[in-house]
Amino acid sequence: VQLVESGGGLVQAGGSLRLSCAVSGSIFSINAMGWYRQAPGKTRELVATITGAGSTNYADSVKGRFTISRDNAKNSVYLQMNSLKSEDTAVYYCNARVVLVHTRDDYNAWGQGTQVTVSS
């Protein structure tokens, strides 16, 4: 199972970025998908999640600024980030809880991470 992220970069405070993550491999289905982030010297934290039915959950720090969405036909999840702040600077990781096609086992997959840097 592979998760490939894209869309990170350097942006000024107040700007916007859109992260994308595509899931591929021997998967039967994808359940919840999400985005997490890890800033230097801090533990990884939840940013937003979305279920297969489209229910969403956000960290309080990003509510009203970030929007998570998914395209089930493309096995992809997105994170639209608006009104970015310097404290949003972190490595952002894509997460997908998948069911493997051959064993039907649950598997928690992670992307390699993409850097988001917000300059003040």
Side-chain angles (χ1 to χ4, degrees):
V1 179
Q2 292 183 320
L3 278 65
V4 179
E5 299 138 335
S6 61
L10 173 65
V11 65
Q12 289 188 334
S16 298
L17 283 175
R18 185 175 188 251
L19 305 182
S20 300
C21 173
V23 183
S24 63
S26 301
I27 55 177
F28 175 74
S29 63
I30 304 175
N31 297 321
M33 304 181 80
W35 290 94
Y36 294 72
R37 67 186 181 187
Q38 187 167 14
K42 295 187 177 181
T43 58
R44 190 174 297 188
E45 64 176 4
L46 179 148
V47 177
T49 60
I50 184 168
T51 68
S55 297
T56 58
N57 179 54
Y58 295 93
D60 288 342
S61 58
V62 307
K63 283 180 181 178
R65 300 188 298 121
F66 291 10
T67 302
I68 189 170
S69 61
R70 64 189 285 172
D71 184 334
N72 292 330
K74 295 182 179 180
N75 288 344
S76 295
V77 63
Y78 309 96
L79 186 69
Q80 178 66 44
M81 303 185 293
N82 298 328
S83 302
L84 283 161
K85 305 175 181 179
S86 57
E87 51 262 45
D88 295 318
T89 295
V91 178
Y92 283 70
Y93 295 91
C94 175
N95 172 261
R97 299 179 185 272
V98 307
V99 177
L100 301 176
V101 66
H102 297 300
T103 64
R104 301 301 168 93
D105 288 335
D106 293 330
Y107 180 72
N108 193 28
W110 291 91
Q112 79 285 356
T114 184
Q115 178 70 46
V116 171
T117 302
V118 184
S119 63
S120 56

